[in-house]
Amino acid sequence: MTKKTIHLGISMAGAISAGAYTAGVMDYLLEAFENWQKAKDLQQEGKLSGIPKHNIMIDILSGASAGGMTAALTAAAIHTNFDHVALTDVVNNTDRLAKNPLYHSWVDLTEEDHRDMMNQMLSIDDIENDKQGNPDKEVRSVFNSGFIKTIAERHINNMIKDKDIQRPYFAADLEIFATLTNLRGIPFEVSFGSPSYARVHRMTRHFDIAHFKLGFEQEYKKDGRIPLHFNDAEGLNKDLLVQSAMATGGFPIGLEPRIIKRLGKYIKENKYLNLGNRPDLHTVNPIDEFMTLNVDGGTINNDPFELTQEMLDERMNVSLSGGRKIKASEFESVVLMIDPFPNHSDLPDTNYRPLRAFKFIISQILSAMLGELRMKEEVLKSAYGNEDYTKFLIIPSRSGANKETENYIACGSLGGFGGFFNKDFRKHDFLLGRRNCQQFLKKHFSAPVDANNPILAYGYEGIEDQYKVWVNQRDYFPLLPDIRVKQDEISGSYSIVFVEDFEETGIKFPEIKLSYLLGLQGDLENRISSLISNITNGEAPEREKNENDIVKRLRKKPWYDKLLATTLYQPLTGLLLWFAKKKVKGILARKFIDIVVADMDKNGLLVNDKK
């Protein structure tokens, strides 16, 4: 029996504000799927012909950080109908744009005419406003990240499935997962010895995933996938998806860490969290709620394509069928990775210098630890050798980019935080993502015709010449044909139109005014002042506050210490704190702005209107 379906997992890398690029790619990808499906439906009804018959089934949406947030947003968005973004809409149709959940989430964010994103992120409401759920005035992050909760709840918790919507190219049991860096950790223990001599070695794993599957609680198969649906206002585990989306995007120190509460069974019974799938090694109680504090999923795994591939293999019973098929003539599954930062510049430094001074060592140690955490040894082992048609990658590309600074996307400035400074940056990257996706589908997401892959041979049977693409002296079949349906106004008949290349000239690289950046000084100083004033706030558990009795006796304070504290120490401390805030906030604010200005200028984004 001829197989007719290619199974697809989509993995989205971490990107901070450059999630706008990933969202643009996904918007165009969904548009291409919708139009192909529309053409196939018309062909089924006998109203159109010449449409490729094979299928692509999206089985998995995954990601880290901004990519994980986009995966969660997409999982919610596919349950309703929405218009896709055109260049003309960005210019003059804001109402239409606001109805697109991917654009509204990543480009609009929570921006208002009188309150842009930097105004919100430098606000001190998260520290000093009791209504924000922080009565102790704890400093939880450098920036105010309250906007993330607003976005996640707006497009996930408030999503209700439109019963008329049909997207058969998404699996009914679609899996969605986001990587997490679990600060509490998942406890394991390993037994050593024999029946007469038993010892236990305990370990804690901090890599984590929030792993969901569309379906119902009664369908749960004890596999750790958290059941999820959007069938009504209450839904199922929508709030847990919101928690997970916020947690995977909690950039360390910069944005607030997030709490996730889930039943222990979703950890203990998940083979990707329970190493070796051994329940006896896992010490999490399956029936209790397991609470964790989490930061950005990209800290440990920023590109979870290998995990996506493992899950796709599991769904296709690869181990039972003799291994994954990777050649052009036989592949049946594909992982598509979207990566706004493909690490082009992270090649070996030919001018490496071993900096041994203490001031350099700490940063090198942290960098080494992070690099090792993200190392994908198994992927490297299988990366070379035979052709592999199971891995595809979409990355930013535009003419006019500086190859030395690699400023392909505007949001890539400041390590990915640049997009929060200017909405035009996010608009540009969203549109560039759409254009890059269109080019990718046309030129790269394909397989050679002469490989005679049975799925594509079936799909293009009798219509080969119409869809062939000539690349590098060889004919290719697109895996996903990028077509549109056109209806004649007079006869009512249907025909197909092949999408023409986007005009990149319509996507102008954006700019930001120097005067705007300098104008952030006041808000920055106010934020820094609040950070300094409240940096020590936050109650520690009682067991951490208890002092050792011996130390207390050794360091017993003299009788006059309390008197000095009330008459001299406290006022002096207050004066020093006031002086520090007054001077330090200005120094730090100016230094921050200097860094921003220099980086924006290096990336070709700055307009010097202060000459």
Side-chain angles (χ1 to χ4, degrees), residues 175-177 208-213 219-227 237 240 262-274 277 311 314:
E175 293 184 49
I176 308 103
F177 79 83
D208 197 351
I209 58 172
H211 194 176
F212 297 83
K213 183 171 72 173
E219 298 174 353
Y220 178 66
K221 298 180 179 180
K222 295 185 177 181
D223 58 3
R225 275 78 162 172
I226 303 168
N237 289 318
L240 186 50
R262 57 196 145 151
L263 292 176
K265 66 180 180 180
Y266 296 135
I267 297 174
K268 192 178 186 74
E269 295 171 358
N270 190 305
K271 64 180 289 186
Y272 302 101
L273 293 177
N274 193 336
N277 204 21
M311 293 182 187
E314 181 187 354

Side-chain angles (χ1 to χ4, degrees), residues 14-22 25 339-342 395-398 401-402 405-419 424-426 428-433 436 509-510 599-600 603-605:
I16 314 178
S17 68
Y21 175 85
T22 303
V25 171
D339 190 354
F341 304 121
I395 61 175
S397 174
R398 69 175 180 89
N402 186 322
T405 59
E406 297 181 350
N407 62 338
Y408 301 104
I409 52 176
C411 293
S413 57
L414 297 167
F417 272 88
D424 287 341
F425 291 6
R426 306 190 297 274
H428 170 273
D429 290 358
F430 187 95
L431 291 172
L432 186 67
N436 286 170
F509 201 60
D599 192 81
M600 296 287 184
N603 283 282
L605 296 162

Side-chain angles (χ1 to χ4, degrees), residues 48-67:
L48 193 58
S49 61
I51 308 303
K53 305 185 299 292
H54 68 286
N55 303 306
I56 296 181
M57 181 68 69
I58 303 173
D59 288 294
I60 300 170
L61 293 173
S62 69
S65 188

Side-chain angles (χ1 to χ4, degrees), residues 380-587:
L380 281 179
K381 287 179 180 178
S382 62
Y384 302 100
N386 297 328
E387 62 179 12
D388 187 345
Y389 274 81
T390 65
K391 298 184 184 73
F392 288 85
L393 175 66
I394 299 181
I395 61 175
S397 174
R398 69 175 180 89
S399 60
N402 186 322
K403 292 183 178 180
E404 292 184 2
T405 59
E406 297 181 350
N407 62 338
Y408 301 104
I409 52 176
C411 293
S413 57
L414 297 167
F417 272 88
F420 295 126
F421 284 80
N422 193 320
K423 185 175 180 178
D424 287 341
F425 291 6
R426 306 190 297 274
K427 284 182 183 179
H428 170 273
D429 290 358
F430 187 95
L431 291 172
L432 186 67
R434 281 181 52 83
R435 183 187 187 278
N436 286 170
C437 185
Q438 185 264 332
Q439 292 286 295
F440 170 78
L441 295 181
K442 179 179 180 179
K443 299 179 179 179
H444 307 296
F445 198 46
S446 57
V449 173
D450 56 19
N452 201 32
N453 181 285
I455 297 174
L456 296 178
Y458 160 78
Y460 288 102
E461 183 180 7
I463 56 173
E464 295 92 343
D465 292 339
Q466 193 175 356
Y467 288 90
K468 287 178 183 176
V469 178
W470 184 252
V471 181
N472 294 330
Q473 308 300 310
R474 200 174 183 185
D475 282 323
Y476 283 77
F477 278 144
L479 271 60
L480 170 56
D482 193 10
I483 56 178
R484 300 294 181 269
V485 175
K486 182 180 179 181
Q487 185 175 20
D488 186 89
E489 295 181 0
I490 299 176
S491 66
S493 61
Y494 294 94
S495 60
I496 60 170
V497 177
F498 291 91
V499 176
E500 297 182 1
D501 288 351
F502 283 17
E503 287 294 331
E504 189 177 327
T505 53
I507 309 175
K508 183 182 177 182
F509 201 60
E511 298 174 331
I512 190 169
K513 292 182 178 180
L514 176 61
S515 58
Y516 170 79
L517 297 178
L518 297 178
L520 295 174
Q521 177 91 14
D523 286 345
L524 266 170
E525 290 186 4
N526 194 37
R527 177 77 185 177
I528 292 169
S529 179
S530 183
L531 293 176
I532 294 173
S533 297
N534 298 286
I535 195 70
T536 60
N537 291 352
E539 287 295 316
E542 286 298 324
R543 58 183 173 84
E544 293 183 13
K545 294 193 295 184
N546 292 336
E547 295 182 20
N548 180 272
D549 289 339
I550 296 175
V551 173
K552 286 169 68 176
R553 286 197 300 270
L554 285 172
R555 307 304 176 198
K556 186 177 180 180
K557 297 176 182 178
W559 64 270
Y560 51 80
D561 186 76
K562 187 174 182 180
L563 178 63
L564 288 175
T566 55
T567 60
L568 181 61
Y569 180 75
Q570 289 180 353
L572 183 59
T573 302
L575 180 62
L576 289 173
L577 182 61
W578 173 84
F579 181 79
K581 285 196 296 182
K582 185 174 180 62
K583 294 296 182 182
V584 171
K585 68 180 182 181
I587 295 171

Side-chain angles (χ1 to χ4, degrees), residues 87-145:
L87 186 60
T88 52
D89 296 329
V90 176
V91 177
N92 56 21
N93 198 338
T94 55
D95 290 339
R96 179 184 171 98
L97 295 174
K99 295 176 182 178
N100 181 305
L102 291 169
Y103 184 94
H104 195 35
S105 296
W106 277 109
V107 179
D108 291 337
L109 295 176
T110 55
E111 192 155 308
E112 302 171 2
D113 291 338
H114 63 285
R115 198 162 183 253
D116 66 18
M117 290 313 301
M118 286 312 299
N119 180 270
Q120 295 178 44
M121 293 177 71
L122 295 176
S123 164
I124 61 174
D125 286 351
D126 61 323
I127 300 173
E128 302 192 5
N129 187 341
D130 287 349
K131 294 181 180 179
Q132 299 298 316
N134 186 9
D136 296 326
K137 295 186 177 182
E138 297 176 342
V139 173
R140 296 172 179 170
S141 56
V142 171
F143 295 106
N144 185 334
S145 48

